[in-house]
Amino acid sequence: DGGITQSPKYLFRKEGQNVTLSCEQNLNHDAMYWYRQDPGQGLRLIYYSQIVNDFQKGDIAEGYSVSREKKESFPLTVTSAQKNPTAFYLCASSPRRSGYWTDTQYFGPGTRLTVL
Amino acid sequence: AQTVTQSQPEMSVQEAETVTLSCTYDTSESDYYLFWYKQPPSRQMILVIRQEAYKQQNATENRFSVNFQKAAKSFSLKISDSQLGDAAMYFCAYRIPNFGNEKLTFGTGTRLTIIP
């Protein structure tokens, strides 16, 4: 089945540690995104990538890093510089329409990160 | 900056009845997309319906329809014949079709409860 997978579903991190969240898609989508969701809030964009080997910062990129070495994969690293990393993290992807812009974003099941 | 406002933190409806969720947005753009996403207890974001601003006709997907009022910057979601499986958080979202500005801007969500 085509879709977006995220792993792990739950992740616990000690303060001062870096952790990497996985996001994989087999939809052949060009663009991929990482969002953060906090209680009582909508999603906020962390990073996005429109093509392989290229990515841009979103609204809340500080303390996070990404890579896009393959079209299918867009891992997110939460570094120790992120002051309040406990949140729910959602990965999304979207196909590219004719022209330059991308179409509807489809989401993975998410990863719940808790800092101990 | 674009903003999306959902003024109803919680709504409830009797099973089989109709409910309308409100969304307003602020933008100076003339061309944009609007979306309703559903987030059930599993927390995966599921696309419910999408509307392109240049289309005057309101989008419809089975029991879900929108009332898009471009001049009023309003984008409400109507759910007909409500079912227990419709219980979820509903998020309204906005984006512009602009290469290099890919993010979805989300509202804070409306929690919908279905009363059996």
Side-chain angles (χ1 to χ4, degrees), chain A residues 40-108:
Chain A
Q41 298 189 32
L43 280 64
R44 293 181 291 165
L45 183 66
I46 305 172
Y47 268 99
Y48 65 97
S49 168
Q50 293 160 324
I51 54 173
V52 175
N53 292 323
D54 187 54
F55 47 83
Q56 287 79 41
K57 293 181 179 180
D59 295 327
I60 55 167
E62 184 176 354
Y64 300 97
S65 65
V66 294
S67 63
R68 186 87 185 275
E69 298 177 1
K70 298 186 300 182
K71 188 176 184 179
E72 304 79 22
S73 178
F74 191 42
L76 173 74
T77 297
V78 184
T79 75
S80 57
Q82 170 49 234
K83 300 301 181 189
N84 184 20
T86 294
F88 188 62
Y89 291 86
L90 284 152
C91 176
S93 69
S94 63
R96 185 166 303 284
R97 301 178 77 179
S98 58
Y100 295 101
W101 51 84
T102 57
D103 208 317
T104 301
Q105 294 180 21
Y106 298 92
F107 287 82

Side-chain angles (χ1 to χ4, degrees), chain B residues 18-66:
Chain B
T18 295
V19 64
T20 299
L21 308 183
S22 300
C23 173
T24 59
Y25 57 94
D26 184 23
T27 183
S28 58
E29 302 288 338
S30 60
D31 190 19
Y32 49 87
Y33 299 121
L34 294 162
F35 305 86
W36 278 99
Y37 283 91
K38 168 185 176 180
Q39 189 177 42
S42 67
R43 302 200 70 178
Q44 181 160 5
M45 297 288 281
I46 301 166
L47 177 68
V48 174
I49 201 164
R50 143 195 166 140
Q51 175 81 42
E52 290 151 318
Y54 68 86
K55 291 186 177 179
Q56 293 185 337
Q57 186 172 7
N58 289 326
T60 299
E61 288 287 342
N62 300 314
R63 298 183 294 108
F64 298 88
S65 61
V66 298

Side-chain angles (χ1 to χ4, degrees), chain A residues 2-31:
Chain A
I4 305 169
T5 57
Q6 291 186 242
S7 61
K9 187 173 182 179
Y10 299 98
L11 185 57
F12 297 90
R13 188 194 94 173
K14 292 181 181 180
E15 286 196 26
Q17 286 183 336
N18 293 355
V19 290
T20 297
L21 283 59
S22 170
C23 177
E24 304 275 336
Q25 55 98 1
N26 62 4
L27 302 167
N28 199 33
H29 286 176
D30 292 284

